[in-house]
Structure formats: C-alpha cells, structure tokens
Amino acid sequence: MTQKTVSRATFGRLSVGLAAAGVVAACSGESATNSAGSSQASTSDDVRTVNLGFLPGWTDGLSTAYLWKNLLEGEGYAVEFTELSDAAPLYTALAQGDVDVYPSGWPQVTHQDYMNQYGDQIEDLGAWYEGAVLTLVVPEYTDVDSIDQLAGQGARFGGRIVGIEPGAGLTRITREQAMPETYEDADGDEQQGYGLEGEYELVTSSTAAMLAELQSATDAQQDIVVTLWRPFWANTSFPVKDLADPRGAMGQAETLNSLARQGFAEDMPDVADMMSNFTLTDEQYGTLEDTVVNEYGEGRYDEGVQAWLDQNPDFRESLRS
C-alpha cells in the first residue's frame, strides 16, 4: 500500500485528539473505567456487549478498535471503548477483566514485559499483522545511517533521543537495550548495546509530543533522533529514515495480536472466532490507517472505517470460518 502523505493540518487535528485522550486517561496501575462508566467488562449476564481497550496515541489500536466496532455492531453486539494513555494500565485492565479485548497488542517484543507479568491471565486470539518493528529514526537529510554512528555526536542532537510514553515497550527497549554499552537478554546472555548513556538522554512524554518535536525539527531542517515503529503512518508522512540496527538491540520483528481477557473465548465464541480469523496484509493495514486517521480523522473515525469497508467488500466475509 502506498500511504498518502498526511497534511500538517491533519497532524494538528490528530494532536488535539491525542491530547484530549490524555486528559481522560487512567493512571498507570489503576483499573480502567470504560466509556459507560462501568469498572467491569462484559460478563455472562451481558454477553452482547464487547469492551475494547486501546491507546489512542497508537493509531494501529485506534484504527482496529473502530474497525471492530463497525464489524461487531453489524453482528448485533454493543461496543464500548476504554481509552488509556499507556500500555501498563491497559494490560492491567485486560488481566483484571476490566476490558474484553485489546485489539492491537504487541506481545512478543514491545509488550513482552506485560505478557510475562499477565500472560496467564490473557487469551491470545492470534496474530493479524506480520513484520512489526521498533526503530530509531532521523531526518532523511541527516548524514547518520546507523545507531552506532550516534556515539560521539550527541551535541548535534542536543544530547536527546525524543521518545513517547514512559510505559511504552519502545521506551523500555530503547533505554535498557539500545542505549547501554551492554545489556542482558531474556536468556541471561550479555548483548552489546550502543553505549549512548551519558551522552544522550531519552526524553519521554507522549506520541503526540514526539511527533510535534519531529514536525518542528524537520520544518527547520534540524537534526533530531526519535523513537518510532512500523506500521505507523508517520513513517511516510515525515521525511525520516530508519537507523540501521546492526546489533539487533531494538529487537526482532514481531506480530500484532488480538488479546482478550481470560474466559472471553468461552463467553463470546463467535466474536473470538472472528478475531482469530482476522488478518491484514501490509496494503490492507496501510489503507485502513490512512483512511481512518488521515483522510477522515478525529470525530469521523466511524465514517473512515465504513469507507474502507466499502472499498474492501469481501473483508467482512473473510472473518467467517
């Protein structure tokens, strides 16, 4: 798929939406409250309501949540949203049964810590996207092509790597694996990082704030390093390039999965089957996110999903086994 370049006006609208989402977001470690004001997701007495939890700043989750809202309402289900600002409270809410499904989890690398902690309380309904990766990027005009070339050049980047939310897996991996001289992997083996600690500070805030800094720097043709990921529309909307990761410190490619609370498949087997059959190609994912986030945008996400389904008339049927 070719993602359409997003206009800066569109980015501005998205930033406002993300900021608004942050105002209502739950604090890390606290139970989530859904859009209906309930502290619990659906139960056996309320099997026709599905509560979807997601991070509005991660547009893969936002796009797929609105896609599932359309699909499930078409099947006669009611859909509620629980929007959170960080991954930690979302996984906590999922493990506690406060939300039914996180439709776009990153369980293998990015959210591995949360799966290690809560995996036995979560049902993995399967992968729907292959090849997701975490990256560090710089503007295309910056003459640095690999993470190891950042060492010794901290001054030109203001001694900063601009990150996203503090609880994001991308933040942890950048801080604990890419920036140290060495780190211990999941098997306890010592691995080589890039020795950037002391020269660079990882600045965390939010996805919207990171994108605002990226926009400001590229407008002014200044050097900047930011944390980013794929799939994400910003890769084609800003003049950026991935830095090579010859030591593999940013982790291997992973999948995006539909993650459910314990017992969800038994309570809602039809929905679980549909989610287990859910897959998107790179082209399908790109057109979905582009249509929902960029072409339609905040306040019109439902319209964007319907437009995408109109352009993909066989998709709904593909979910039926």
Side-chain angles (χ1 to χ4, degrees):
M1 175 269 173
T2 358
Q3 274 193 310
K4 183 181 297 182
T5 299
V6 66
S7 70
R8 296 303 167 89
T10 300
F11 168 62
R13 290 195 298 274
L14 177 61
S15 299
V16 170
L18 296 177
V23 170
V24 299
C27 298
S28 176
E30 295 181 352
S31 295
T33 299
N34 61 39
S35 58
S38 167
S39 63
Q40 292 294 318
S42 59
T43 67
S44 57
D45 296 327
D46 185 23
V47 296
R48 303 298 291 181
T49 299
V50 181
N51 186 285
L52 303 176
F54 62 98
L55 312 174
W58 287 52
T59 45
D60 54 285
L62 183 148
S63 301
T64 51
Y66 275 87
L67 173 62
W68 278 112
K69 177 175 181 286
N70 182 300
L71 296 169
L72 294 177
E73 287 179 345
E75 298 293 322
Y77 291 88
V79 174
E80 296 174 347
F81 284 161
T82 296
E83 299 184 13
L84 296 165
S85 63
D86 212 336
L90 177 51
Y91 275 85
T92 301
L94 191 62
Q96 293 178 343
D98 291 326
V99 301
D100 288 312
V101 178
Y102 174 22
S104 188
W106 298 56
Q108 296 154 348
V109 178
T110 308
H111 295 159
Q112 182 185 43
D113 283 357
Y114 302 124
M115 291 301 288
N116 289 342
Q117 183 174 0
Y118 297 119
D120 60 353
Q121 299 167 263
I122 291 173
E123 292 183 353
D124 189 344
L125 303 180
W128 56 267
Y129 180 87
E130 306 279 349
V133 293
L134 305 179
T135 61
L136 296 182
V137 309
V138 298
E140 291 174 342
Y141 50 76
T142 297
D143 59 346
V144 171
D145 298 310
S146 176
I147 300 175
D148 56 0
Q149 295 173 357
L150 292 175
Q153 301 203 57
R156 68 186 290 192
F157 295 101
R160 301 190 313 152
I161 296 174
V162 181
I164 56 172
E165 290 79 4
L170 173 56
T171 299
R172 181 190 65 78
I173 287 171
T174 302
R175 176 182 290 122
E176 297 181 7
Q177 297 186 185
M179 295 184 69
E181 191 71 41
T182 62
Y183 66 93
E184 192 173 278
D185 66 17
D187 297 323
D189 298 324
E190 184 176 277
Q191 302 293 339
Q192 292 293 312
Y194 293 98
L196 304 178
E197 289 180 329
E199 186 177 3
Y200 291 84
E201 175 189 4
L202 177 60
V203 180
T204 60
S205 54
S206 67
T207 300
M210 179 274 289
L211 291 174
E213 290 219 35
L214 181 60
Q215 177 175 310
S216 177
T218 52
D219 283 347
Q221 295 282 291
Q222 296 175 340
D223 292 323
I224 187 172
V225 188
V226 305
T227 62
L228 218 58
W229 62 92
R230 296 178 184 276
F232 188 38
W233 59 265
N235 292 288
T236 52
S237 298
F238 290 90
V240 294
K241 60 182 177 183
D242 290 355
L243 292 178
D245 180 15
R247 298 170 193 170
M250 296 300 290
Q252 302 301 310
E254 60 184 317
T255 60
L256 303 186
N257 293 37
S258 301
L259 303 178
R261 64 169 170 81
Q262 197 66 258
F264 179 77
E266 181 177 354
D267 291 343
M268 296 191 175
D270 292 343
V271 177
D273 283 347
M274 290 174 66
M275 291 185 168
S276 297
N277 292 330
F278 174 43
T279 60
L280 289 178
T281 64
D282 198 52
E283 180 176 352
Q284 287 174 317
Y285 174 84
T287 55
L288 173 66
E289 186 179 55
D290 183 48
T291 303
V292 173
V293 176
N294 296 332
E295 289 189 20
Y296 284 82
E298 185 186 7
R300 301 181 63 201
Y301 297 140
D302 287 313
E303 294 176 65
V305 165
Q306 187 56 58
W308 185 83
L309 287 170
D310 290 343
Q311 295 162 7
N312 295 270
D314 298 330
F315 178 77
R316 191 185 298 270
E317 190 60 32
S318 72
L319 301 175
R320 305 181 194 281
S321 54

Short mmCIF file of all heavy atoms in Angstrom, two decimals, residues 4 32 37 55 57-58 70 84 95 102 104 119 128 132 149 157 220 238 251-252 254 257 277 288 299:
data_model
loop_
_atom_site.label_atom_id
_atom_site.label_comp_id
_atom_site.label_asym_id
_atom_site.label_seq_id
_atom_site.Cartn_x
_atom_site.Cartn_y
_atom_site.Cartn_z
N LYS A 4 -0.87 7.67 1.80
CA LYS A 4 -0.93 9.07 1.37
C LYS A 4 -0.22 9.94 2.39
O LYS A 4 -0.36 9.75 3.57
CB LYS A 4 -2.39 9.50 1.24
CG LYS A 4 -2.56 10.89 0.74
CD LYS A 4 -4.02 11.24 0.65
CE LYS A 4 -4.71 10.35 -0.35
NZ LYS A 4 -6.14 10.68 -0.51
N ALA A 32 -9.11 0.37 34.79
CA ALA A 32 -9.68 1.24 33.79
C ALA A 32 -11.16 1.45 34.05
O ALA A 32 -11.83 0.65 34.69
CB ALA A 32 -9.49 0.62 32.42
N GLY A 37 -18.87 4.01 32.06
CA GLY A 37 -18.73 4.29 33.46
C GLY A 37 -18.63 3.04 34.31
O GLY A 37 -18.52 3.10 35.52
N LEU A 55 -4.95 2.34 23.05
CA LEU A 55 -4.21 3.57 23.30
C LEU A 55 -4.44 4.48 22.10
O LEU A 55 -3.95 4.18 21.01
CB LEU A 55 -2.71 3.28 23.45
CG LEU A 55 -2.34 2.14 24.40
CD1 LEU A 55 -0.83 1.87 24.33
CD2 LEU A 55 -2.76 2.45 25.82
N GLY A 57 -3.09 7.08 21.14
CA GLY A 57 -1.85 7.55 20.53
C GLY A 57 -1.21 6.53 19.61
O GLY A 57 -0.32 6.87 18.83
N TRP A 58 -1.61 5.27 19.74
CA TRP A 58 -1.10 4.22 18.85
C TRP A 58 -2.20 3.97 17.82
O TRP A 58 -3.20 3.30 18.10
CB TRP A 58 -0.77 2.95 19.64
CG TRP A 58 0.46 3.10 20.48
CD1 TRP A 58 0.73 4.09 21.38
CD2 TRP A 58 1.61 2.24 20.49
NE1 TRP A 58 1.96 3.89 21.95
CE2 TRP A 58 2.53 2.78 21.43
CE3 TRP A 58 1.94 1.07 19.80
CZ2 TRP A 58 3.75 2.18 21.69
CZ3 TRP A 58 3.16 0.47 20.07
CH2 TRP A 58 4.05 1.02 21.00
N ASN A 70 -17.40 -1.35 14.09
CA ASN A 70 -18.29 -1.46 12.93
C ASN A 70 -18.71 -2.91 12.71
O ASN A 70 -19.90 -3.22 12.54
CB ASN A 70 -17.58 -0.90 11.70
CG ASN A 70 -18.46 -0.93 10.45
OD1 ASN A 70 -18.91 -1.98 10.02
ND2 ASN A 70 -18.68 0.24 9.85
N LEU A 84 -6.93 4.45 27.11
CA LEU A 84 -5.90 4.67 28.11
C LEU A 84 -4.70 5.34 27.46
O LEU A 84 -4.52 5.29 26.25
CB LEU A 84 -5.50 3.34 28.75
CG LEU A 84 -6.63 2.65 29.54
CD1 LEU A 84 -6.28 1.20 29.83
CD2 LEU A 84 -6.89 3.39 30.84
N ALA A 95 -5.93 -7.90 32.18
CA ALA A 95 -5.73 -9.03 33.09
C ALA A 95 -6.80 -9.08 34.17
O ALA A 95 -7.20 -10.16 34.62
CB ALA A 95 -4.34 -8.92 33.73
N TYR A 102 -7.99 -6.17 23.80
CA TYR A 102 -7.06 -5.17 23.30
C TYR A 102 -6.78 -5.60 21.86
O TYR A 102 -6.09 -6.58 21.63
CB TYR A 102 -5.79 -5.17 24.15
CG TYR A 102 -4.66 -4.29 23.68
CD1 TYR A 102 -4.87 -3.20 22.84
CD2 TYR A 102 -3.35 -4.52 24.10
CE1 TYR A 102 -3.83 -2.39 22.43
CE2 TYR A 102 -2.30 -3.72 23.71
CZ TYR A 102 -2.55 -2.66 22.87
OH TYR A 102 -1.51 -1.85 22.46
N SER A 104 -4.98 -4.65 19.42
CA SER A 104 -3.70 -4.48 18.71
C SER A 104 -2.54 -4.56 19.69
O SER A 104 -1.77 -3.61 19.85
CB SER A 104 -3.69 -3.14 17.95
OG SER A 104 -2.54 -3.05 17.13
N GLY A 119 0.55 -12.74 31.24
CA GLY A 119 0.22 -13.65 30.15
C GLY A 119 -0.74 -14.77 30.53
O GLY A 119 -1.58 -15.19 29.73
N TRP A 128 -2.71 -10.81 13.64
CA TRP A 128 -3.39 -10.33 12.44
C TRP A 128 -2.48 -9.51 11.53
O TRP A 128 -2.86 -9.14 10.42
CB TRP A 128 -4.62 -9.50 12.81
CG TRP A 128 -4.38 -8.33 13.73
CD1 TRP A 128 -4.49 -8.33 15.09
CD2 TRP A 128 -4.00 -7.00 13.35
NE1 TRP A 128 -4.18 -7.08 15.58
CE2 TRP A 128 -3.89 -6.25 14.53
CE3 TRP A 128 -3.75 -6.38 12.13
CZ2 TRP A 128 -3.52 -4.90 14.53
CZ3 TRP A 128 -3.39 -5.05 12.12
CH2 TRP A 128 -3.28 -4.32 13.31
N ALA A 132 5.94 -6.30 12.34
CA ALA A 132 6.01 -5.03 13.06
C ALA A 132 7.41 -4.88 13.68
O ALA A 132 7.98 -5.85 14.18
CB ALA A 132 4.95 -4.98 14.14
N GLN A 149 26.45 5.03 14.79
CA GLN A 149 27.05 6.30 14.39
C GLN A 149 26.60 7.48 15.26
O GLN A 149 27.10 8.58 15.12
CB GLN A 149 26.72 6.59 12.92
CG GLN A 149 27.34 5.60 11.96
CD GLN A 149 26.87 5.81 10.53
OE1 GLN A 149 26.03 6.66 10.24
NE2 GLN A 149 27.42 5.02 9.62
N PHE A 157 22.60 16.62 18.27
CA PHE A 157 21.22 16.22 18.52
C PHE A 157 20.71 16.76 19.86
O PHE A 157 19.67 16.32 20.35
CB PHE A 157 21.10 14.69 18.51
CG PHE A 157 21.39 14.07 17.16
CD1 PHE A 157 22.62 13.49 16.90
CD2 PHE A 157 20.43 14.11 16.15
CE1 PHE A 157 22.90 12.92 15.66
CE2 PHE A 157 20.70 13.55 14.91
CZ PHE A 157 21.94 12.96 14.66
N ALA A 220 12.37 22.95 10.32
CA ALA A 220 13.54 23.83 10.42
C ALA A 220 14.80 23.18 9.87
O ALA A 220 15.89 23.77 9.98
CB ALA A 220 13.75 24.22 11.89
N PHE A 238 6.50 11.99 7.30
CA PHE A 238 7.63 12.85 7.63
C PHE A 238 8.85 12.37 6.83
O PHE A 238 8.98 11.18 6.54
CB PHE A 238 7.94 12.80 9.12
CG PHE A 238 6.90 13.46 9.98
CD1 PHE A 238 5.83 12.74 10.49
CD2 PHE A 238 6.98 14.82 10.28
CE1 PHE A 238 4.87 13.35 11.28
CE2 PHE A 238 6.03 15.43 11.07
CZ PHE A 238 4.96 14.71 11.57
N GLY A 251 15.39 -5.15 19.01
CA GLY A 251 14.54 -6.34 19.00
C GLY A 251 14.18 -6.80 17.60
O GLY A 251 14.34 -6.07 16.62
N GLN A 252 13.70 -8.01 17.53
CA GLN A 252 13.33 -8.62 16.27
C GLN A 252 11.94 -8.18 15.84
O GLN A 252 11.18 -7.60 16.62
CB GLN A 252 13.37 -10.14 16.39
CG GLN A 252 14.72 -10.69 16.81
CD GLN A 252 15.82 -10.31 15.85
OE1 GLN A 252 15.67 -10.50 14.64
NE2 GLN A 252 16.92 -9.76 16.35
N GLU A 254 8.04 -8.49 15.06
CA GLU A 254 7.02 -9.19 15.84
C GLU A 254 5.67 -9.08 15.13
O GLU A 254 5.57 -8.50 14.05
CB GLU A 254 6.94 -8.61 17.26
CG GLU A 254 6.58 -7.14 17.31
CD GLU A 254 6.59 -6.58 18.72
OE1 GLU A 254 6.08 -7.25 19.64
OE2 GLU A 254 7.09 -5.44 18.89
N ASN A 257 -1.32 -8.64 17.66
CA ASN A 257 -2.28 -9.70 18.02
C ASN A 257 -3.53 -9.12 18.67
O ASN A 257 -3.50 -8.04 19.25
CB ASN A 257 -1.64 -10.66 19.03
CG ASN A 257 -0.50 -11.46 18.44
OD1 ASN A 257 0.27 -10.96 17.62
ND2 ASN A 257 -0.38 -12.70 18.84
N ASN A 277 -9.82 -15.23 12.97
CA ASN A 277 -9.72 -15.26 11.50
C ASN A 277 -9.22 -13.94 10.92
O ASN A 277 -9.00 -13.83 9.72
CB ASN A 277 -11.09 -15.55 10.88
CG ASN A 277 -11.56 -16.96 11.19
OD1 ASN A 277 -10.75 -17.86 11.35
ND2 ASN A 277 -12.88 -17.15 11.27
N LEU A 288 -6.25 1.05 5.65
CA LEU A 288 -7.16 1.24 6.78
C LEU A 288 -6.71 2.42 7.64
O LEU A 288 -7.50 3.35 7.93
CB LEU A 288 -7.21 -0.03 7.64
CG LEU A 288 -7.99 0.09 8.96
CD1 LEU A 288 -9.47 0.32 8.68
CD2 LEU A 288 -7.79 -1.16 9.82
N GLY A 299 -13.16 12.51 15.13
CA GLY A 299 -14.59 12.82 15.03
C GLY A 299 -15.27 12.12 13.88
O GLY A 299 -16.50 12.10 13.81
#
